Amino acid sequence: MSSEAATTIDGTGEADLHGRTAVALRRRGACPALATPMPTGDGLLVRLRPAGGALTLPQFTALARSAAAHGNGILEITARGNLQIRGLRAETVGQLAADIDAAGITVPGGPAIEISPLHGIDPQERSDPAAMEMALRRTLHDLIASPRLAPKLSIVVDGGGAFGLSALSADIRIVARSNADWLVAINGDGETAMPVATGPAAAAVSAVGNILSLLAALGQGSRTRDIDPARLRAHFPAVDNIRFIPSRAASIPLSGLHRLADGKTVLGVRPEFGQMWASDLIALLDLADAHGATAIRLAPGRGFFFIGLPEDRVPAMQIAAAKYGFSAQPGENSEHIAACAGAGACGSAFYETRSLARQILAVAPALFDGSLTLHLSGCAKGCAHARPALTLTGTAEGYDLILNGSAADRPDERIAGGRIDFAIERLARSIEDNRGAGESAAACLTRLGATGVSKALRQE
């Protein structure tokens, strides 16, 4: 979805979590929160982030039951670790909100503040990002709630530890450093963001307040990339003197058993392609509860962690996870596929993305060496993946293949619907035949380019 500000196209009069009486339907470009669900091909979509990205097992179960009762039963976890509930109707959004309230799930308003998934339990954490989030919301409440901020404004608080957030791009990054100091940076991920301030927690909160004030003054829809550099330096005169060491994304996979530095364990689980049926999720949660798990932490990478699960119960949970359509083992090729809901779940989609994903996993393993993401988009909206990727976009005539782009980009090759299996096999074989020693699939595709790929696909 674009960063363009949302505008209301309809209203329903349903009550939200706080009893207000306007659940507006937003066009694409806004974050589809509880009060502003977004129309999609399978009804209304609601995206929410529980406080701290944390849920108890009963809360997650209640959320899944409500998704089945008031939506189409499909839940998703996004690449940023947020929850999506699909297939809602205007008259059921308020009922979902009431169920969330009854379950004791807190969903803070304003832009999402994404914090390290293992906050408070990771002994390697440098500072507590949950405390920083609370300080931001308490001190900057009016600014965070300002309607002049962009709906998709992103704020990340990275406390460090085993599962940091350096891979997440954000408008504003607050990163824990040594000696209880924090670094504030803008417009980028752990490697590319521009540092603007450093200091103790209070100074970091103040710096974030200055950035939000600049954005509010620029007007709704503005992002940190839109701030004039001269104006930025006027507010942060020490910006050029900050010593900044880029933080590269950790290579630790989400799925599987992880032992923390204090000897405790967590189990990372990913729904297949980030999507799950409520019934499967409920069954898995019931089993996790029986095995001693105590809590859930949503995580970037389209998954979540089970907290409190005894290590000797992990193998049984991993077997059960696979039975219910979840991956709890590291290194599975499905981790490198971003697939939207697809035909059968979304009325806008031209093909069944999950079925095609399974076929590709079987016939084209050469694609999945970790160097690229395969984006299967049922239509040109590209809901499942915002960044450039190897993309197959569904069309009325078949498929558009984009070697490194988004679903709406100009295709490098058009593939007739009946030839998709042949085309995928040809693409994988071309990579296998042309890959140099030590060369990744992504590098090979880049070297072959549109001309080389087109030639491979057209060979008989």
Side-chain angles (χ1 to χ4, degrees), residues 12 24 34 86 190 199 203-204 214 216 260 262 293 327 330 362 383 393 415 422 447:
T12 68
L34 275 166
R86 304 190 70 94
L214 285 171
L260 303 183
D262 59 358
S327 168
C383 300
T393 302
I415 303 167
F422 170 84
R447 181 169 54 79

Side-chain angles (χ1 to χ4, degrees), residues 124-158:
Q124 295 175 262
E125 198 170 61
R126 291 188 290 271
S127 291
D128 184 2
M132 173 57 75
E133 178 185 4
M134 290 178 63
L136 291 168
R137 293 193 180 279
R138 182 178 61 249
T139 307
L140 308 176
H141 177 271
D142 291 344
L143 268 175
I144 289 174
S146 172
R148 295 185 61 80
L149 294 179
K152 286 181 67 66
L153 182 77
S154 54
I155 302 174
V156 161
V157 184
D158 189 347

